[in-house]
Amino acid sequence: MKWLTMNGSTMKGYAATNRDLNGQMYTQRPQGSVLSAHDISYSVKVTSTYCRTTDKQILFNITGIFKQGLTAILGPTGSGKSTLLDVLAGRKDSKGVSGHLLLDGQPLPHNVKCLMGYVVQDDVVMSTLSVRENLAFSAALRLPSSMTPLDRQSLINKIIRELGLDRCADTKVGDEFIPGVSGGERKRCSIGMELIISPPVLFLDEPTTGLDSSTASSILFYLKRISRNGRTIILSIHQPRYSIYSLFDSLMLLSQGRTVYHGPSHEALDFFATQGFLCEEHNNPPDFFLDVINGDLTTFGSEMCIDKEARPTDVTQTKQDILVEGFKYSLWNKRLQEEIHKIVSAFQENFEENNVTIDYVTSFVHQLTVVGDRAVKNLIRHPQTCVITVTTSLVLAVITAAIFWQLNEDPNKAFQDRAGVLFFLVNNHVFTNVSALGVFIHGRKLFMHENIGGFYRVSVFFLVKIVLDIIPLRMIPVIIFSGIVYFAVGLNSGADHFFQLVSCLFCTTVASASLCFLISAVIRNFTVAQALLSLCYILMMLLGGFFINFNSIGPWLNWAQYLSLFKYAQTILFINEFKDRLFCNSTYCVSGNTYLATQGIAFESDWDLQKNYLALVFYTIILFTLSYVRLRTLQKTR
């Protein structure tokens, strides 16, 4: 943001104090940035019939200037409002965008989306934190580390006052499960988190969606007040009432990706009048605009169009075509093109290659600390998942202990019973990891928004999720379950065998969770992800060697056993339980080594055991790496 003094010099951080012609002191208002769009078009790849890929154009040669104040982008559903907003904010894939954007007459820096403020339609804030804590989170990550804590806190308090959040500043934001602030206060909290960085342009996608008329008006009133203090604000909106419409300084009307009107909001009715469409006295202008745009030529008024000699006409044209053509040859477009020409001329005269890349203002360690602290708070204040996981593990441990209580060593029963309990242990610690599917599916919106906004690196989010998922939800249940079952069932005695069991189940749990992480990073729908995960688990279980001996699997499918984490986990547990043990009754004894041999399990050397641990570790590392790569390559447009 820039502030201009009377002599034209640029000052940042404060408004200039001057004297008027009568010698009276006054403070000049800060002047916001100017964003200009030059012939912006946007197309996407769509799959048509017979799986053919074609280009679908969404925006057509959009040109506009967005200055300090409140600019609204209006249009019917599907007109391209949100798409244009995303393109202006640098949140669309550049491969589909043509034309160029200038900010204060200069090219936008790389990764400009980290520089802009963007409030999404569905407010994305941490529900378990208070309004003040959410603002503090944004400030801690997006403001330079050189800024003192006192200055940072002062800025947070200022934004809270500006947005009228004083009464709810220390109240949890809440969601459908946690009581919290109202919808309007939640929206203002989202706006405040973006205002923390004093963005040159603030974008809002449908900020009134889901709000009652009174709350929507109050949101727009706050935005209007902010814009007067030197802020350039651009928002998309569908059909506002007149009290909201009257707050707009500038208006852009779209129809099917084309500009119908762009200019001062109070002159929009004059433009429609020149095209032969007159608004009735008590009709709401935005309703009137959409009625005209959505209509066809046979409805009313098209024969009243003036300046017919100035532009070509066609009786088969729809109202959208008439308005698009009408604006093209109108006084308003002529003024727009003159301003655009001045910007382009100044840009060509003062062109400087812009290789500036907007980077994170805080270090990796600082981000890890702040994001980890928020995750711990969220876990403490919303512990249901952790509590249910631990409780489930405890209940299953008790039931397992009751069913397999103190197994005897009669060879007629020992091998079958012990193999059964070991198989159940592996299955239990694999299938109970379905909760890990929600790690990226449920938190995707929050991650996408914050990562695009420059809050933190992908690696920070990934590491925090892994650590806080593995310790409370994987490690603790394994310890509880193993501690109960091992002694109650009477498995192979000895501290070394106990810790072997615990380490094997922990490695199995983490390996299973890594598969959940990958699937949740690739698939957005929880139901589809759950179905795919179940299929993977069942196939691995069939190939794990419990239902059929490894040597009995046909050579065409034998290789698939090495993809099964069941194989490695069961091999470890079987060796730990049966190796070098004798199971006897009153008449004879059977060696556990004999049983292992009949199962096709190699057990002679230490390497036969260690290679299975190594396989589980590699399995985990590979899947975690693929999950991270997927998060890095996600198309982050929202």
Side-chain angles (χ1 to χ4, degrees), residues 401-414:
I403 294 174
F404 295 95
W405 180 263
Q406 293 300 314
L407 296 177
N408 62 49
E409 297 192 2
D410 184 342
N412 294 321
K413 300 178 180 178

Side-chain angles (χ1 to χ4, degrees), residues 9 323 361 410 471:
S9 61
L323 290 170
V361 297
D410 184 342
I471 293 177

Side-chain angles (χ1 to χ4, degrees), residues 21-320:
L21 296 177
N22 297 321
Q24 299 296 319
M25 297 292 294
Y26 71 93
T27 300
Q28 185 174 344
R29 285 190 179 276
Q31 181 173 328
S33 295
V34 177
L35 178 67
S36 56
H38 305 261
D39 291 323
I40 296 295
S41 296
Y42 178 71
S43 60
V44 295
K45 299 283 186 182
V46 296
T47 303
S48 58
T49 310
Y50 306 114
C51 298
R52 294 177 180 175
T53 302
T54 58
D55 289 328
K56 179 181 180 181
Q57 191 159 352
I58 308 297
L59 301 177
F60 299 82
N61 304 108
I62 302 293
T63 295
I65 299 177
F66 305 90
K67 303 177 181 178
Q68 175 190 334
L70 205 55
T71 299
I73 302 174
L74 269 72
T77 301
S79 61
K81 302 186 298 295
S82 295
T83 301
L84 176 59
L85 202 72
D86 287 343
V87 171
L88 294 175
R91 293 192 169 210
K92 285 296 185 186
D93 186 358
S94 58
K95 294 178 181 178
V97 180
S98 62
H100 57 279
L101 299 169
L102 298 177
L103 182 63
D104 292 327
Q106 294 297 321
L108 272 60
H110 299 294
N111 206 21
V112 68
K113 56 193 176 187
C114 294
L115 179 67
M116 303 294 191
Y118 195 105
V119 180
V120 295
Q121 181 174 340
D122 300 321
D123 302 312
V124 185
V125 289
M126 184 62 77
S127 59
T128 53
L129 300 186
S130 68
V131 171
R132 190 185 303 278
E133 287 173 331
N134 273 296
L135 294 177
F137 176 78
S138 179
L141 293 173
R142 304 172 80 187
L143 295 177
S145 301
S146 57
M147 190 173 187
T148 65
L150 186 62
D151 290 341
R152 191 179 291 119
Q153 190 59 47
S154 177
L155 176 60
I156 293 170
N157 292 335
K158 178 184 176 183
I159 290 176
I160 287 175
R161 289 194 302 272
E162 282 185 353
L163 294 175
L165 293 170
D166 304 78
R167 290 187 296 178
C168 65
D170 298 307
T171 304
K172 290 181 183 178
V173 172
D175 54 22
E176 61 269 27
F177 303 110
I178 304 173
V181 299
S182 66
E185 290 166 339
R186 184 185 178 92
K187 178 67 70 176
R188 277 180 272 162
C189 178
S190 298
I191 295 171
M193 292 181 71
E194 299 304 316
L195 292 177
I196 283 288
I197 59 173
S198 296
V201 184
L202 176 64
F203 297 90
L204 301 100
D205 186 19
E206 300 278 4
T208 59
T209 298
L211 304 178
D212 61 80
S213 57
S214 176
T215 303
S217 295
S218 68
I219 293 294
L220 267 296
F221 173 77
Y222 285 117
L223 291 173
K224 179 68 173 180
R225 189 170 67 181
I226 293 169
S227 69
R228 288 174 177 168
N229 293 326
R231 195 77 62 181
T232 301
I233 299 177
I234 307 173
L235 58 92
S236 65
I237 195 167
H238 182 61
Q239 206 163 353
R241 67 181 191 176
Y242 182 75
S243 61
I244 292 178
Y245 174 77
S246 63
L247 298 174
F248 301 151
D249 298 298
S250 181
L251 178 68
M252 175 177 275
L253 281 169
L254 296 180
S255 174
Q256 298 177 2
R258 295 176 171 84
T259 305
V260 169
Y261 171 79
H262 183 41
S265 58
H266 63 274
E267 296 180 11
L269 287 174
D270 296 335
F271 163 73
F272 274 80
T274 63
Q275 307 307 305
F277 304 107
L278 302 177
C279 182
E280 297 177 354
E281 185 174 353
H282 298 292
N283 195 1
N284 180 28
D287 293 336
F288 167 72
F289 298 150
L290 295 187
D291 287 342
V292 174
I293 292 173
N294 285 326
D296 63 333
L297 185 64
T298 59
T299 306
F300 60 87
S302 59
E303 67 279 3
M304 298 172 58
C305 297
I306 65 172
D307 294 335
K308 291 184 179 180
E309 295 79 8
R311 59 182 173 83
T313 58
D314 185 344
V315 294
T316 64
Q317 287 181 311
T318 63
K319 286 181 182 175
Q320 294 96 322

Side-chain angles (χ1 to χ4, degrees), residues 513-539:
S514 67
L515 179 60
C516 296
F517 274 44
L518 177 59
I519 292 176
S520 67
V522 173
I523 299 175
R524 296 188 177 190
N525 186 287
F526 185 84
T527 303
V528 175
Q530 194 174 33
L532 178 59
L533 180 67
S534 299
L535 177 62
C536 292
Y537 282 167
I538 291 172
L539 291 176

